[in-house]
């Protein structure tokens, strides 16, 4: 998956704005190229986990369909931990068709995405280090 630079910058800005809480959203695009970040509120308002509101998820899906885009990844930030899935992230990764991206603000800025299948991380891609 490739994430356009402007999308990465939007993600970083949102993560920095919402820190120390986790922020989250969907990454939208086509053919493995992310062209839009669809931010959603972390209804848990937590620095250690996140949840999407179902109404926001439906709105994101509707928006993606009207723009002829696909949800390529679910993303969230880790304000104080590395860019790798926690046990909870792995447990909640139930969609085998998308990637799971984590933007870490811990010890620099790092953005990685992961393919998680049946409770196992099977692939990692690095998208940004700064």
């Amino acid at each position: 998956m490739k994430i356009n630079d402007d999308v990465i910058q939007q993600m970083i800005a949102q993560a920095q704005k919402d820190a120390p809480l986790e922020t989250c959203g969907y990454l939208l695009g086509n053919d493995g190229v992310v062209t839009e970040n669809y931010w959603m509120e972390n209804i848990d308002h937590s620095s250690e986990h996140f949840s999407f509101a179902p109404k926001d998820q439906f709105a994101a899906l509707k928006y993606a369909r009207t723009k002829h885009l696909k949800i390529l990844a679910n993303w969230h930030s880790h304000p104080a931990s590395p860019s790798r899935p926690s046990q909870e992230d792995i447990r909640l990764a139930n969609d085998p068709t998308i990637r799971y991206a984590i933007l870490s603000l811990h010890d620099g800025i790092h953005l990685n995405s992961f393919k998680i299948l049946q409770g196992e991380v099977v692939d990692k891609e690095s998208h940004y280090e700064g």
Side-chain angles (χ1 to χ4, degrees):
M1 178 175 75
K2 180 188 181 323
I3 305 173
N4 286 351
D5 290 338
D6 63 320
V7 174
I8 291 173
Q9 293 307 314
Q10 290 171 13
M11 295 167 69
I12 292 169
Q14 190 64 50
Q16 290 172 330
K17 176 180 172 234
D18 289 351
L21 303 179
E22 289 191 2
T23 194
C24 52
Y26 283 145
L27 298 177
L28 310 176
N30 285 303
D31 302 317
V33 178
V34 174
T35 55
E36 290 195 40
N37 167 34
Y38 192 98
W39 174 81
M40 289 187 278
E41 179 185 3
N42 175 0
I43 61 170
D44 290 343
H45 303 286
S46 171
S47 61
E48 297 179 357
H49 53 88
F50 74 99
S51 293
F52 299 139
K55 67 177 180 56
D56 291 343
Q57 288 180 281
F58 287 119
L61 186 57
K62 184 177 178 181
Y63 174 84
R65 286 181 178 160
T66 64
K67 298 286 188 173
H68 305 287
L69 299 171
K70 291 184 170 50
I71 296 171
L72 300 179
N74 162 328
W75 83 276
H76 71 281
S77 64
H78 279 183
S81 60
S83 176
R84 65 174 176 253
S86 66
Q87 287 302 102
E88 181 178 358
D89 293 335
I90 292 170
R91 183 177 60 80
L92 296 174
N94 294 317
D95 187 341
T97 66
I98 65 171
R99 297 188 69 81
Y100 293 86
I102 300 172
L103 176 72
S104 172
L105 302 177
H106 176 73
D107 197 24
I109 299 173
H110 305 275
L111 175 60
N112 297 312
S113 70
F114 305 87
K115 190 66 150 175
I116 302 172
L117 300 174
Q118 298 176 330
E120 297 289 327
V121 176
V122 297
D123 179 58
K124 173 187 170 185
E125 291 179 358
S126 179
H127 300 282
Y128 182 89
E129 289 195 32

